[in-house]
Amino acid sequence: MFLFVTVYALYSCSGILAQSCSPIVQYTNLTINGNTISNVAGNFSDCCQYCQQKSNCVAYSWYNGTCILKSSAQPLYKAVGYLTAVLSPNSNNTYSLQTSYNGSTFFNNFTFISYTDPSGGDVNYTTQAQAQSLGLVQVLAGGQVYIGVDNTTIVPLNATRGRAAVRIQSKPIYNSGLFIFNLAHMPEGLGTWPAFWSYANPWPYNGEIDILEAIYTMPNNQISLHTSQNCTMPSNPGYINGAWGTKTTDCFTNYTAGISGCSIEAPNGTFGSAFNQAGGGVFAMEWDRFNFIRIWNFVQPNIPSDIASGSPNPNPSTWGLPNAYFPFGQNCSATHFNNQTLVINTDLCGSWVGSKFPGGASNCSTFVRSNPQYYSNAYYLINSLNVYCKPNDPYCVL
Ligand SMILES: *[C@@H]1O[C@H](CO)[C@@H](O)[C@H](O)[C@H]1NC(C)=O
Ligand SMILES: *[C@@H]1O[C@H](CO)[C@@H](O)[C@H](O)[C@H]1NC(C)=O
Ligand SMILES: *[C@@H]1O[C@H](CO)[C@@H](O)[C@H](O)[C@H]1NC(C)=O
Ligand SMILES: *[C@@H]1O[C@H](CO)[C@@H](O)[C@H](O)[C@H]1NC(C)=O
Ligand SMILES: *[C@@H]1O[C@H](CO)[C@@H](O)[C@H](O)[C@H]1NC(C)=O
Ligand SMILES: *[C@@H]1O[C@H](CO)[C@@H](O)[C@H](O)[C@H]1NC(C)=O
Ligand SMILES: *[C@@H]1O[C@H](CO)[C@@H](O)[C@H](O)[C@H]1NC(C)=O
Ligand SMILES: *[C@@H]1O[C@H](CO)[C@@H](O)[C@H](O)[C@H]1NC(C)=O
Ligand SMILES: *[C@@H]1O[C@H](CO)[C@@H](O)[C@H](O)[C@H]1NC(C)=O
Ligand SMILES: *[C@@H]1O[C@H](CO)[C@@H](O)[C@H](O)[C@H]1NC(C)=O
Ligand SMILES: *[C@@H]1O[C@H](CO)[C@@H](O)[C@H](O)[C@H]1NC(C)=O
Ligand SMILES: *[C@@H]1O[C@H](CO)[C@@H](O)[C@H](O)[C@H]1NC(C)=O
């Protein structure tokens, strides 16, 4: 077997066996912006070998008789008529599992916060012991993790806090990596504001990345960054399967001054009841320490095969155009994001929800506190949360 593999590799390097070179993924109407090594005249089927013959070639595009050899598999960019393909990555560029938060050990690497909601919602975040005794957190027989909201208590209007809920924060701290949050259900219901996100103090100097966040009225996820000054993203829609819409591309955030950061709207169906009716999906973030953050939202049944099969080495370069692409460089240095703690929470009411809830935030609080029966669907059902690192990456996890 070893001999066979060796001979095969020799032949494919010398280009004798044309059919031996095959990419791991192929895209239509996408190219890779920049990162060009050289152009070679050829048919698309020839490009693979031309790429293999260059030591730094990892991917290629093809257009109108020209192979465009690439030193990076990203950023993907919409371009009608282009074909793009990616070669199998070398071991240095292959992610492998670092932390798996799942099943009976899911909560071991999380802390429950039980202080007043720092985001200004009307919830009573509980300790792990309180959450367990109220049935707000459970590990189901099949290993799925349930995180809900109290759906039995009428909370007095004069109580200092609102409905009991959960906010958990990871003990490990990250500075790069691939994060895959796989869920069968997300919280929905009047006044809900769920999120899967990361942040670090001092805020916003060490940044915040909102991977999944929206409020109960919205049909789509909203992906946001919150930073200190001098972090602006390209508004070009060619990089994303999503829309900047009316949102700013300047990620600087100062809520006191009414400046709320940069946000991309993912497509409809990536949030709330439509997401749940589809059977859930996956929110994935790739954070390349010095180069970019990319985020994908997948809804069942459109989950990439490496995620669906539980591959220990998922490859985001096979997932197609991301929903969000946030490059680092002159317009946003990578130092805007450090030491991120992962957070999963279900918030209720607060100012964002109050801007949509009839009668505003105080009416929202009155309604939510008085009507526990509306919160039976305000739960996460988590299949897994996995974090993957590249080999020898000193930044991935602290
Ligand atoms: C592309 O393929 C066609 C048909 O097989 C062939 O005639 C042509 O020479 C090829 N072009 C290049 C640049 O290899
Ligand atoms: C394709 O390339 C040929 C020359 O090789 C050129 O004449 C033609 O304009 C090109 N077509 C497009 C759409 O770029
Ligand atoms: C590529 O884009 C063209 C022009 O918009 C379209 O006709 C074609 O269907 C697209 N191909 C694919 C596979 O999406
Ligand atoms: C991986 O990185 C190490 C250290 O930078 C380097 O020595 C090695 O050649 C690389 N391996 C491959 C397959 O590129
Ligand atoms: C994560 O949990 C595992 C066992 O569940 C434990 O060995 C490890 O120390 C934990 N890591 C942190 C950072 O708490
Ligand atoms: C809330 O109101 C009830 C009934 O008026 C009263 O008994 C209770 O002490 C009040 N609680 C708080 C926290 O003010
Ligand atoms: C929060 O919920 C817990 C558990 O039900 C309860 O013991 C506690 O009194 C509540 N705190 C407030 C401030 O309402
Ligand atoms: C942001 O950039 C401007 C212009 O380059 C510079 O004057 C300012 O000091 C920078 N602010 C921060 C907080 O780095
Ligand atoms: C935020 O805005 C407020 C009000 O304009 C201002 O007082 C404060 O200094 C700003 N903070 C930062 C970090 O820019
Ligand atoms: C998304 O849903 C909203 C609200 O239901 C609707 O107004 C909008 O047209 C939809 N957008 C697309 C692209 O379907
Ligand atoms: C990140 O955390 C490490 C370890 O606690 C600390 O040494 C470092 O200063 C932190 N970085 C930033 C930018 O806060
Ligand atoms: C509360 O919600 C759970 C599911 O999230 C459901 O099984 C349970 O029946 C609900 N309780 C009530 C009293 O509605």
Side-chain angles (χ1 to χ4, degrees), residues 88-111:
S88 187
N90 71 27
S91 57
N92 285 349
N93 284 314
T94 301
Y95 285 102
S96 56
L97 188 61
Q98 157 67 35
T99 320
S100 182
Y101 303 80
N102 67 10
S104 60
T105 61
F106 184 89
F107 294 106
N108 292 7
N109 283 324
F110 280 109
T111 302

Side-chain angles (χ1 to χ4, degrees), residues 124 126 130 134 160-161:
N124 174 11
T126 54
Q130 288 167 338
L134 292 170
T160 53
R161 293 194 198 165

